[in-house]
Amino acid sequence: MHKLKLGVQISGRGSNLQALIDACAGKDFPAEIAVVISNVADVEGLAKAKAAGIPTLTIPHKSFPTREAFQHEISTAHTKK
């Protein structure tokens, strides 16, 4: 079965992320998490993603002059690898 690849944005503990990780572990679940992106380094959610073997990125929102520039960076981050 082809699985939809998800990018998940987090900013903290990653409680919703953990629910997605658990759901994606089911062999019949139609999606998998391809990357987890946080705007804050060293948050608990990034550790959860790393423990699950999911690639992570940190993109600090304060590095961008506008919200639109930040959102653009997030939406194109996967193409810069």
Side-chain angles (χ1 to χ4, degrees), residues 9-28:
Q9 286 181 256
I10 63 167
S11 62
R13 293 183 306 123
S15 54
N16 290 328
L17 171 64
Q18 189 61 58
L20 282 171
I21 290 170
D22 294 345
C24 289
K27 67 177 184 173
D28 293 331

Side-chain angles (χ1 to χ4, degrees), residues 8 10 12-14 17-18 21-22 33-59 81:
V8 179
I10 63 167
R13 293 183 306 123
L17 171 64
Q18 189 61 58
I21 290 170
D22 294 345
I33 302 170
V35 65
V36 173
I37 302 172
S38 175
N39 65 324
V40 180
D42 300 324
V43 293
E44 186 179 342
L46 289 176
K48 288 179 182 182
K50 290 175 185 174
I54 302 168
T56 63
L57 291 172
T58 300
I59 303 174
K81 286 186 174 182

Side-chain angles (χ1 to χ4, degrees), residues 61-75:
H61 65 281
K62 292 182 180 181
S63 299
F64 297 89
T66 65
R67 183 75 171 173
E68 291 78 17
F70 172 63
Q71 290 297 333
H72 177 74
E73 180 66 20
I74 288 174
S75 66

